[in-house]
Amino acid sequence: MKVGTADTATTVDAAGMRAQNSSLLLNMIWREQQLSRAEIARRTELSPSTVSAIVADLEHSGLVRNIGAGVSRGGRRPTLIGFCDDAFSIIGVEMGATHVTVVLTDLRGRVRAHRHSPHAVREDPKGTLQKVRELVQECLDAERVPRRSVLGMGVAVPSPVHPSTPGKLSPLIVPAWRDYDVQESLKSAFNMPVFVDNDANLGALSERYWGAGVGGEDLTYIKLGTGIGAGFIIHGDVYRGSGGTAGEISHIAVDPAGQQCVCGLRGCLVTLIGTGPLLERARELMGPRGRRAPTVRELVEGARSGEAAARQVIDSLGHYLGIAVAGLLNLLNPAIVVLGGEISSVGDLLLDPLRASVRKRALSTSMAETRIVTSALGDRAIAVGAATLVLQAALRDRSLFPLQHVRKTA
Amino acid sequence: MKVGTADTATTVDAAGMRAQNSSLLLNMIWREQQLSRAEIARRTELSPSTVSAIVADLEHSGLVRNIGAGVSRGGRRPTLIGFCDDAFSIIGVEMGATHVTVVLTDLRGRVRAHRHSPHAVREDPKGTLQKVRELVQECLDAERVPRRSVLGMGVAVPSPVHPSTPGKLSPLIVPAWRDYDVQESLKSAFNMPVFVDNDANLGALSERYWGAGVGGEDLTYIKLGTGIGAGFIIHGDVYRGSGGTAGEISHIAVDPAGQQCVCGLRGCLVTLIGTGPLLERARELMGPRGRRAPTVRELVEGARSGEAAARQVIDSLGHYLGIAVAGLLNLLNPAIVVLGGEISSVGDLLLDPLRASVRKRALSTSMAETRIVTSALGDRAIAVGAATLVLQAALRDRSLFPLQHVRKTA
DNA sequence: TCCCGTTTCTTCGTTGTACGGACGAAGCCA
DNA sequence: TGGCTTCGTCCGTACAACGAAGAAACGGGA
């Protein structure tokens, strides 16, 4: 949908010019929250008259509104224009390995309603889609949101997504979904635009809009969970690779002497730091206490309260992850690396050994400028990221906002 | 210089509209070599009258010209418009580790003049810059190219380049260059735009324009030489990372049991498949025949003629490189991987063991769609890529083409 | 309190660009 | 030769941004 990269650009006529300038203003107002017409004119170098005309347009469509006067700079006080965060709602869906989460957000990523339900997503496509439909409907009903004020739906799936078939999941990773199309199914059920993407990609998007990467252009997100996935933001946009499998790092070999993996290699990242092996190792180390493996939450709490076994598991996680992250830094040189997934909530206990492991392996040049942090967005980050995918698309192309009937202003 | 990605876009007025459409047409004519006005109108959905006006404009500035009539489609025959490949020249410079290469190209990447000279680039900045100036002047003189018909100069350097200081080389990698600025120096010497980038990045650009990646959007180039560098084309553009060090893969560890490297790690790629260690291993294996290590050329010829020792060295190169490439495929999922550097000229002898090594390690999904090939562009690929950097910039922003005085057409 | 300069925002006429229809030129085909 | 198609140009129109001028709103100094 980009315009302007000369190789792939679209032509521009008068209407296109207006669309482009209008989108630009909308984005600026969204970013800055409040802005006067005069200020916009100064920043964009558009003439004041043009700014007024476009703002009137945006106001008319309900996306921005007058929010009172600002402080004078020596003359008449400016009238501030604000973005209407609640002009539309967005639905975000996370289909995890074993659960479904649905959120209803406004245009600023704030969650207005949410539903969560455990479900065997990988094995049961039909039931999953049914569950999604239910939870979405519940969210809509709870906030009494009319269908026409919903921008669209974003869906995070635990599988790579091929750009040319966005609704299909990878038959190699989730074979049961072979005959289902997530996009078609939900689109026909709710009659609104549906966007589908990989969960790690949407975690990355979430961080870029609402987390540690706000305003940045390049960011890498790593999702720690049953599998290990990375998502890349490059030039402000999710990078998916030519076949949509960029960031599939579960099966990067970090220990040639390691255990055999189902994929055929030895010492894959997932066999060492996937949730399963991690909890199993914790069980072994905790020894006599019990034969039940702890949950991730218990592991985190154990580490926080100083349990040696838990600490040791986290340390080894940091160590192995560091090997992969070091390779990633040398290869991609992102400005920031964000760790997500429940276990990342241990914070520094993970970051310290991770950074040490990375420091031993990465070139000092790329290291020096890269920040490595844990996510602070919580367990709804991916679902919110899914909603953000819709927001991003709409902010780029204003025509994705449905036309609302004109509101009368008092 | 992008326009349109809503986050960073520039505003558009009437003049900008014309500039954008004009650039679009120029790109199309460049790509297709010859095209009629009617055909352009059909493809761009611009009105015939607009197309005529813009083409007249381009013709007036000497970038395109009438090249006779095409075949009729049942009515009046179209008049074909062609791109003037020789309207301007571009200078491309490669500063290698131990040599300097300069080429003078037209607007289609064809080399009109070239000069090559061995030089200790890393140790002698002053002499290198002097040498570059000499060779450039020789190229200009040889073809009697007036200064005003040169678009600009592109320079490939054997070091990462930080986006904010494009003229400075990395003090960690080439300390002697600490006080020199390649861009400033050459810009003031020749009074034309100078663009500087890393050599592997420009190899990638070269492949995307003239080699295996023509027309593609995503491509990875790997330069085998004294060091190992990768260049990425993402969305048609060189990706440099946030600090300009993306693709610095020399020190990725592929053999934890390997030899100690100067960087502090064990089993870095460069200690295993850098030109130095490779030739050293060849010397050892060739045994009694001589105590002199062979040159790369000799190694290549040896492998071609079936010498066991040479084959063995190439096999191990493929093996280790495969480990790195596998990681890269899982991480970035490019459409195509191109190998460059002199040793890549062995072709299949390298590709076979490489592909085998990759196949053992990469996910079949990302593997299936990725082509791995060797470069066919020869030893001037990097210098030509440097010139291409200028071409790319000018095709995106027509205002970079100097105004020529109007030519009278007969 | 009044006056003046400043800033904000709108109004209105101008300018530049793309569009669309009409038209002549140039070809094909029967 | 005549009918039909395609190509390219010419002219008037529509639309968006611009710039100058003016009205409104405000601050500050006398």
Side-chain angles (χ1 to χ4, degrees):
Chain A
M1 206 51 62
K2 281 193 191 175
V3 179
T5 305
D7 312 30
T8 34
T10 347
T11 60
V12 180
D13 60 359
M17 180 159 85
R18 180 54 160 259
Q20 199 161 320
N21 286 337
S22 161
S23 275
L24 184 75
L25 255 66
L26 186 62
N27 271 273
M28 185 173 287
I29 300 171
W30 182 85
R31 264 202 318 275
E32 305 290 335
Q33 315 254 17
Q34 51 175 43
L35 225 43
S36 71
R37 291 176 237 267
E39 183 61 25
I40 294 174
R42 276 190 296 269
R43 294 200 196 182
T44 59
E45 294 183 306
L46 248 39
S47 72
S49 43
T50 303
V51 172
S52 276
I54 294 178
V55 166
D57 223 42
L58 292 173
E59 203 168 0
H60 191 260
S61 69
L63 286 167
V64 307
R65 71 167 183 277
N66 198 320
I67 53 166
V71 294
S72 166
R73 306 198 319 159
R76 174 176 167 177
R77 287 158 58 191
T79 60
L80 294 177
I81 308 299
F83 191 90
C84 295
D85 292 344
D86 48 5
F88 295 94
S89 299
I90 310 177
I91 295 166
V93 178
E94 177 188 11
M95 290 167 32
T98 57
H99 71 274
V100 171
T101 302
V102 173
V103 299
L104 183 75
T105 76
D106 64 6
L107 299 179
R108 190 131 337 242
R110 276 185 291 250
V111 175
R112 293 175 54 185
H114 65 106
R115 292 292 187 276
H116 178 96
S117 170
H119 196 91
V121 170
R122 306 167 71 106
E123 290 78 30
D124 176 22
K126 195 170 173 188
T128 301
L129 290 172
Q130 175 58 28
K131 179 64 76 180
V132 169
R133 283 192 293 268
E134 284 171 26
L135 298 184
V136 168
Q137 195 58 53
E138 282 181 31
C139 284
L140 290 174
D141 292 346
E143 292 288 310
R144 299 179 188 286
V145 172
R147 192 66 55 87
R148 74 171 180 288
S149 74
V150 177
L151 258 194
M153 184 185 308
V155 185
V157 297
S159 150
V161 172
H162 196 287
S164 63
T165 55
K168 308 292 282 184
L169 308 194
S170 164
L172 286 169
I173 296 184
V174 276
W177 284 77
R178 179 178 298 276
D179 298 324
Y180 293 82
D181 187 307
V182 175
Q183 190 180 37
E184 289 310 319
S185 163
L186 293 174
K187 186 177 179 142
S188 65
F190 291 97
N191 191 31
M192 57 176 68
V194 175
F195 300 79
V196 180
D197 206 342
N198 169 263
D199 50 8
N201 288 347
L202 294 176
L205 196 64
S206 216
E207 291 293 335
R208 181 238 182 277
Y209 271 81
W210 324 112
V214 169
E217 283 275 280
D218 301 299
L219 169 154
T220 294
Y221 173 87
I222 298 179
K223 178 171 180 290
L224 301 169
T226 311
I228 317 294
F232 306 117
I233 303 291
I234 287 183
H235 295 323
D237 225 335
V238 173
Y239 179 67
R240 304 180 170 87
S242 79
T245 69
E248 288 297 310
I249 59 176
S250 276
H251 297 280
I252 281 189
V254 292
D255 180 6
Q259 189 182 336
Q260 183 86 23
C261 172
V262 291
C263 75
L265 299 183
R266 293 193 161 280
C268 290
L269 209 50
V270 71
T271 65
L272 293 161
I273 66 167
T275 302
L278 226 48
L279 296 182
E280 183 55 28
R281 184 148 358 113
R283 188 184 64 79
E284 289 166 9
L285 287 173
M286 287 174 174
R289 178 133 67 95
R291 54 173 65 87
R292 182 181 65 85
T295 64
V296 173
R297 172 183 297 269
E298 286 163 354
L299 181 61
V300 169
E301 283 168 1
R304 283 223 181 99
S305 65
E307 274 185 46
R311 288 278 173 98
Q312 200 174 332
V313 169
I314 301 288
D315 280 352
S316 79
L317 166 56
H319 168 76
Y320 287 118
L321 186 57
I323 298 177
V325 170
L328 199 147
L329 292 191
N330 285 336
L331 221 55
L332 277 187
N333 181 221
I336 178 166
V337 175
V338 185
L339 303 183
E342 192 177 358
I343 205 167
S344 70
S345 58
V346 291
D348 286 337
L349 294 177
L350 170 58
L351 288 176
D352 289 340
L354 172 62
R355 291 194 183 117
S357 173
V358 168
R359 209 172 297 124
K360 281 203 304 199
R361 292 179 179 81
L363 279 183
S364 47
T365 44
S366 51
M367 261 301 294
E369 298 185 359
T370 303
R371 287 165 48 213
I372 304 180
V373 301
T374 49
S375 172
L377 294 180
D379 58 356
R380 275 150 21 199
I382 306 275
V384 171
T388 308
L389 191 61
V390 184
L391 175 66
Q392 184 186 40
L395 283 178
R396 270 182 196 173
D397 179 3
R398 217 191 106 192
S399 68
L400 294 182
F401 287 104
L403 296 165
Q404 302 224 109
H405 38 238
V406 191
R407 298 179 183 183
K408 258 180 67 179
T409 25
Chain B
M1 207 50 65
K2 279 192 194 178
V3 179
T5 306
D7 312 29
T8 35
T10 346
T11 59
V12 181
D13 60 358
M17 179 159 83
R18 180 53 159 262
Q20 198 161 321
N21 286 338
S22 161
S23 276
L24 184 75
L25 254 67
L26 186 62
N27 271 273
M28 185 172 286
I29 298 172
W30 183 85
R31 267 202 317 274
E32 305 289 336
Q33 315 254 17
Q34 51 176 42
L35 227 43
S36 70
R37 291 175 235 267
E39 183 61 26
I40 294 174
R42 276 190 296 270
R43 295 201 196 182
T44 60
E45 294 184 306
L46 248 40
S47 72
S49 42
T50 303
V51 172
S52 276
I54 294 178
V55 167
D57 223 43
L58 293 172
E59 203 167 1
H60 191 259
S61 69
L63 285 168
V64 307
R65 71 166 184 278
N66 199 320
I67 53 167
V71 294
S72 165
R73 305 198 319 158
R76 173 176 169 178
R77 288 159 60 192
T79 60
L80 295 178
I81 309 298
F83 191 90
C84 295
D85 291 344
D86 48 7
F88 295 94
S89 298
I90 310 177
I91 295 166
V93 178
E94 177 188 11
M95 290 167 32
T98 57
H99 72 275
V100 171
T101 301
V102 173
V103 298
L104 182 75
T105 76
D106 64 6
L107 299 179
R108 183 89 35 202
R110 275 186 292 251
V111 175
R112 294 176 53 184
H114 65 106
R115 291 291 187 278
H116 178 96
S117 170
H119 196 91
V121 170
R122 306 169 70 105
E123 291 78 29
D124 177 21
K126 196 170 173 187
T128 301
L129 290 173
Q130 175 59 28
K131 178 64 76 179
V132 168
R133 283 192 293 267
E134 283 170 26
L135 297 185
V136 168
Q137 194 58 53
E138 282 180 32
C139 283
L140 290 175
D141 293 345
E143 292 288 310
R144 300 180 187 286
V145 172
R147 193 66 53 89
R148 74 170 181 287
S149 75
V150 177
L151 257 194
M153 185 185 308
V155 185
V157 297
S159 150
V161 173
H162 197 288
S164 63
T165 56
K168 309 292 283 184
L169 308 194
S170 165
L172 285 168
I173 296 184
V174 277
W177 284 78
R178 180 177 295 277
D179 297 325
Y180 292 82
D181 187 306
V182 175
Q183 190 179 37
E184 289 311 319
S185 162
L186 293 174
K187 186 174 178 144
S188 65
F190 291 96
N191 191 31
M192 58 175 69
V194 174
F195 299 79
V196 180
D197 206 342
N198 170 263
D199 51 7
N201 288 347
L202 294 176
L205 195 64
S206 216
E207 290 294 335
R208 181 238 183 279
Y209 270 82
W210 324 112
V214 169
E217 284 274 281
D218 302 299
L219 168 154
T220 294
Y221 174 86
I222 297 180
K223 179 171 180 290
L224 300 169
T226 310
I228 317 294
F232 306 116
I233 302 291
I234 287 183
H235 296 323
D237 227 335
V238 173
Y239 178 68
R240 305 181 170 87
S242 79
T245 68
E248 290 295 311
I249 59 176
S250 277
H251 298 279
I252 281 188
V254 292
D255 179 6
Q259 190 182 335
Q260 184 84 24
C261 171
V262 292
C263 77
L265 298 184
R266 294 194 161 279
C268 288
L269 209 51
V270 71
T271 66
L272 292 162
I273 66 167
T275 301
L278 225 47
L279 296 182
E280 183 55 29
R281 183 147 359 114
R283 189 183 65 77
E284 288 165 10
L285 287 172
M286 288 173 171
R289 179 135 66 95
R291 56 173 63 84
R292 181 181 67 83
T295 63
V296 172
R297 173 181 296 270
E298 285 164 354
L299 181 61
V300 169
E301 283 168 1
R304 282 223 182 99
S305 65
E307 274 185 45
R311 287 279 173 95
Q312 200 174 331
V313 169
I314 301 289
D315 279 355
S316 79
L317 166 57
H319 168 75
Y320 287 118
L321 186 56
I323 298 177
V325 170
L328 198 146
L329 292 192
N330 285 336
L331 221 55
L332 278 186
N333 181 220
I336 179 166
V337 175
V338 185
L339 303 183
E342 194 177 357
I343 205 165
S344 71
S345 59
V346 292
D348 286 338
L349 293 176
L350 170 58
L351 289 176
D352 288 340
L354 172 63
R355 291 194 183 118
S357 174
V358 168
R359 208 171 300 124
K360 280 203 305 201
R361 292 180 178 79
L363 278 184
S364 48
T365 44
S366 51
M367 261 302 293
E369 298 185 359
T370 303
R371 287 165 48 214
I372 304 180
V373 301
T374 50
S375 172
L377 293 180
D379 57 358
R380 274 148 27 198
I382 306 275
V384 171
T388 308
L389 192 60
V390 184
L391 175 65
Q392 185 185 40
L395 283 178
R396 273 185 193 169
D397 179 4
R398 216 192 108 191
S399 68
L400 294 182
F401 287 105
L403 296 165
Q404 304 221 107
H405 38 237
V406 191
R407 300 177 180 183
K408 256 180 68 179
T409 26

